[in-house]
């Protein structure tokens, strides 16, 4: 996402950091190992108001730097395999792989909140990223997610359905992931009701994380 917006982040030994403010909803730093010193993270980013840090092991304390916990979540893991619930029979999924199909997906994901421009055409040039779009019989995007493949797992984020929420989205998303990557387990993170929905669809919570926000 950052590269599609012309921003360069850096992978260090203990954290990924971006020196300039990242796009909305995306963190300015992500810890990659437990026990990272808070100053090592905040010194590498624009830590002014609005900065966010994904504390991947829920063991940072950024309060002295002016941050507060925005939310707490759980990492989730699901073994490879088809969805436990049959996807909606009237939905057909595919990969949004053109600027036009990506835009249709982004507008459906956004739901009129004004943030669809986050997903730029440059995102299509990123290897390993797959924007999954489920379409109704009339051709409209009704559900979807972003799948990011590595050698060992598929990370899934931005899960949505226009009607029915994550319980409607997960069957078609998992069907798509299983079709594309049948041997790979699925991972991600969720919180609140979205976490409960993921558990209903075969995910297991496997560890805590926090997202910190720098206040004003």
């Amino acid at each position: 996402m950052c590269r599609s917006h012309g921003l360069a982040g850096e992978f260090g030994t203990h954290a990924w950091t971006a020196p300039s403010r990242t796009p909305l909803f995306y963190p300015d730093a992500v810890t990659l190992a437990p026990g990272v010193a808070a100053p090592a993270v905040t010194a590498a980013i624009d830590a002014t108001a609005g900065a966010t840090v994904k504390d991947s092991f829920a063991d940072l304390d950024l309060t002295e730097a002016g941050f507060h916990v925005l939310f707490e979540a759980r990492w989730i893991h699901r073994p490879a395999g088809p969805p436990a619930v049959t996807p909606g029979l009237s939905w057909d999924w595919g990969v949004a792989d053109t600027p036009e199909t990506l835009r249709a997906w982004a507008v459906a994901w956004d739901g009129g909140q004004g943030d669809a421009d986050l997903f730029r055409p440059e995102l299509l040039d990123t290897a390993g990223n797959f924007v999954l779009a489920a379409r109704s019989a009339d051709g409209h995007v009704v559900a979807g997610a972003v799948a990011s493949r590595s050698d060992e797992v598929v990370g899934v984020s931005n899960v949505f359905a226009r009607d029915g929420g994550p319980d409607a989205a997960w069957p078609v998303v998992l069907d798509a992931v299983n079709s594309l990557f049948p041997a790979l387990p699925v991972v991600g993170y969720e919180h609140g009701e979205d976490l409960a929905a993921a558990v209903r669809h075969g995910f297991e919570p496997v560890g805590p994380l926090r997202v910190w926000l720098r206040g004003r």
Side-chain angles (χ1 to χ4, degrees), residues 46-63:
D46 176 358
T48 56
T52 54
V53 174
K54 183 193 289 185
D55 177 5
S56 301
F57 301 88
D59 64 353
L60 278 175
D61 186 353
L62 299 178
T63 53

Side-chain angles (χ1 to χ4, degrees), residues 86-96 101 104-105 108 131-145 160 168-169 171-177 179-180:
T86 302
L89 296 179
S90 61
W91 292 1
D92 185 26
W93 71 265
V95 176
T101 56
W105 180 95
V131 178
L132 308 176
R135 293 182 179 272
S136 60
D138 61 4
H140 290 93
V141 177
V142 291
F160 77 94
V172 71
V173 169
L174 291 172
D175 182 54
V177 170
S179 296
L180 292 169

Side-chain angles (χ1 to χ4, degrees), residues 40-137:
V41 176
T42 57
I45 64 174
D46 176 358
T48 56
T52 54
V53 174
K54 183 193 289 185
D55 177 5
S56 301
F57 301 88
D59 64 353
L60 278 175
D61 186 353
L62 299 178
T63 53
E64 290 189 3
F67 287 75
H68 65 272
V69 175
L70 181 62
F71 64 85
E72 304 210 20
R74 301 283 291 184
W75 293 107
I76 55 175
H77 174 276
R78 187 185 189 277
V85 178
T86 302
L89 296 179
S90 61
W91 292 1
D92 185 26
W93 71 265
V95 176
D97 55 3
T98 67
E100 294 76 18
T101 56
L102 177 62
R103 180 64 182 178
W105 180 95
V107 169
W109 166 84
D110 178 59
Q113 298 302 305
D115 299 316
D117 289 342
L118 278 172
F119 294 88
R120 297 181 174 180
E122 290 82 358
L123 190 65
L124 301 173
D125 299 328
T126 304
N129 278 353
F130 300 81
V131 178
L132 308 176
R135 293 182 179 272
S136 60

